[in-house]
Amino acid sequence: MSFSLPQILEAAASHPFYSTAISTLPPADRTLESFPLVSKYQLHNCIMNALKTDPTFLLGSYISPTGGTTGTAGNKFFFITDTAENRRQREQIGQLMRALGAIDENDVVLNMHSGQGLYRSLELTGELIEHAGGTHIPVGFWYPDEATINLIRQLRPNAITGTCSRMLTFARYLHSHPDLHITFPKVLYTSEPLPSYQEDFMRKAFHCDTVSSLLGSAEGGIWAVAPPSGTLHPDRSYREFVFRSDMMVVEIVDDGGAPVSEGGVGEIVITSLMRLRNPLVRYLTGDVGSLHRFTGESTGQYQCLRMYGRHPDRSFTLSGDCVDLVELEKVLLLEKWGILEWQVVLDSDHVGSREQSAEVRVVMKDGAPGGEVLDELRTALLAVSGGGRGFTADFTVRAVEYDGLERGAMANKVKKLVDRR
């Protein structure tokens, strides 16, 4: 069950999230475009105010931490959803997963998502798997690899799911233990789009037939599914997701908030047709994508979204020099290095110091390389970061294991840029 767009707009017009912005508009003039674009921070401020002023705001609600959480008690960002509405959305997404073949009644799924603290992805994905008809094995994020292998031997799952970083960690473990002969015909990952080099490594390590993915957030819930793909497209910079237009209205806007032409690339803006109690209208997701017609067998309410990724932190300044992260990544992703994951950590000797350093941490497919390889990589990185123009800051490269990378406090995502200055 979903709500109509007029029902959502009517509820939003009197809701604290939006009422101030459109209170002067007569009901007849309230269209979707008349509502302002809203950011995570605007919604967060409204939610914090409602928690202080309305003692009933949390009743019958599902509480989920959202991006921007730092892990400290005073800085957690939450989105609050009606419990019944949330359950209905999960049921419908499970049915969409089954219809697209991501997970179905023939699948036994090893789930490596996190479920500790306030983070609820293990619970969420487990329920989706069950609504899709699959059998759920909730090992979680921190279950040791050796114990996971024993469980696999016992229960013989044919599918595996988890965040990108956890899946890649386990794929690397299997890659280094080829004698285990573990295979997963189906792979379902979440949290962010995988670059082609990471997906290729994962496909080979898991010996998988198809890879699919889920798209969502605390604000919108899981709302789109990338259909299973048996082919890697190394030249593609996007992943295609399918969603139901009777569950989510999607707009694509440019940097000024204006709609782009059909098929144009811009920021993804969502309006949920599943959430009436706390409406989500014209929410700026921070993701970049484009809208296209669905060309599969069941056109109906299906639409296609090409997801390119997050708005990146494209550069950083180090001792007066501007370093382009995109250019660094181009070097790091050259096949000859065999790099699976990377991270840049910025630091200084002490607070206020002008002596700043950048350390590039890399996880290699086949373990730590010799020092000469890291020296060659450092030289290549310096060449694209200003080394030929008087670049004087300390710039080092270090090979680490996955536990040597810093992650977000809630979702355990690897941070590409860590600034400690």
Side-chain angles (χ1 to χ4, degrees), residues 22 46 94 157 175 188 193 343 360 386 394:
I22 63 164
C46 291
H175 174 73
L188 174 69
Q343 180 178 78
V360 180
D394 184 16

Side-chain angles (χ1 to χ4, degrees), residues 142-324:
W142 301 107
Y143 206 63
D145 290 339
E146 296 82 359
T148 300
I149 296 300
N150 292 334
L151 195 61
I152 291 170
R153 299 287 192 211
Q154 287 180 290
L155 301 178
R156 300 181 182 179
N158 70 302
I160 185 170
T161 185
T163 60
C164 295
S165 61
R166 182 63 185 102
M167 299 279 275
L168 288 168
T169 304
F170 191 56
R172 190 165 177 261
Y173 178 83
L174 295 183
H175 174 73
S176 64
H177 296 81
D179 55 307
L180 292 173
H181 302 293
I182 300 295
T183 63
F184 291 102
K186 282 188 175 182
V187 170
L188 174 69
Y189 71 85
T190 64
S191 75
E192 56 197 271
L194 275 177
S196 60
Y197 74 97
Q198 290 182 333
E199 182 176 323
D200 180 56
F201 178 77
M202 194 167 66
R203 284 177 179 269
K204 292 175 180 176
F206 292 146
H207 305 281
C208 67
D209 298 325
T210 63
V211 174
S212 55
S213 183
L214 301 175
L215 178 64
S217 63
E219 294 81 10
I222 300 294
W223 59 274
V225 180
S229 171
T231 306
L232 175 69
H233 301 281
D235 297 328
R236 281 190 182 175
S237 58
Y238 60 84
R239 185 152 199 113
E240 289 191 341
F241 288 85
V242 173
F243 68 97
R244 292 184 60 101
S245 58
D246 58 349
M247 293 180 64
M248 191 71 74
V249 176
V250 178
E251 302 171 82
I252 307 295
V253 301
D254 61 22
D255 289 341
V260 302
S261 58
E262 183 177 356
V265 177
E267 184 167 359
I268 300 169
V269 176
I270 59 175
T271 297
S272 175
L273 300 181
M274 301 297 298
R275 302 189 167 182
L276 188 69
R277 177 176 165 189
N278 291 326
L280 187 71
V281 177
R282 306 200 79 197
Y283 173 67
L284 291 159
T285 64
D287 295 320
V288 177
S290 58
L291 273 178
H292 303 267
R293 294 179 181 178
F294 179 73
T295 56
E297 294 181 3
S298 301
T299 52
Q301 300 285 347
Y302 290 3
Q303 285 190 269
C304 179
L305 174 75
R306 290 181 180 173
M307 166 72 167
Y308 292 85
R310 299 289 294 173
H311 273 304
D313 293 318
R314 299 185 65 88
S315 64
F316 60 89
T317 301
L318 187 68
S319 297
D321 288 287
C322 184
V323 181
D324 191 328

Side-chain angles (χ1 to χ4, degrees), residues 101-123:
I103 298 293
D104 59 33
E105 69 276 10
N106 298 308
D107 296 321
V108 178
V109 189
L110 187 77
N111 191 343
M112 307 185 86
H113 283 90
S114 176
Q116 68 174 22
L118 291 168
Y119 199 62
R120 308 178 75 165
S121 63
L122 183 64
E123 164 209 325

Side-chain angles (χ1 to χ4, degrees), residues 57-64 79-91 120 123 127 131 274-278:
F57 186 70
L58 276 184
L59 300 182
S61 294
Y62 181 88
I63 305 170
S64 181
F79 194 77
I80 312 298
T81 310
D82 181 81
T83 300
E85 293 173 2
N86 186 54
R87 297 298 178 193
R88 284 196 292 269
Q89 179 169 341
R90 291 185 182 188
E91 182 178 2
R120 308 178 75 165
E123 164 209 325
E127 188 172 339
H131 281 307
M274 301 297 298
R275 302 189 167 182
L276 188 69
R277 177 176 165 189
N278 291 326

Side-chain angles (χ1 to χ4, degrees), residues 329-401:
E329 185 175 42
K330 288 179 182 178
V331 173
L332 291 163
L333 298 190
L334 291 175
E335 187 175 353
K336 68 176 182 177
W337 306 120
I339 293 172
L340 191 58
E341 189 64 270
W342 61 273
Q343 180 178 78
V344 176
V345 180
L346 306 178
D347 211 340
S348 59
D349 291 343
H350 56 271
V351 177
S353 171
R354 296 184 63 185
E355 298 299 321
Q356 299 177 347
S357 64
E359 179 182 71
V360 180
R361 299 176 182 177
V362 293
V363 177
M364 317 295 282
K365 293 180 182 178
D366 298 306
E372 66 279 2
V373 174
L374 296 181
D375 288 341
E376 183 183 353
L377 176 57
R378 177 178 180 272
T379 299
L381 292 172
L382 283 170
V384 299
S385 61
R389 302 189 299 275
F391 188 83
T392 59
D394 184 16
F395 199 68
T396 59
V397 179
R398 181 162 67 97
V400 300
E401 296 297 314

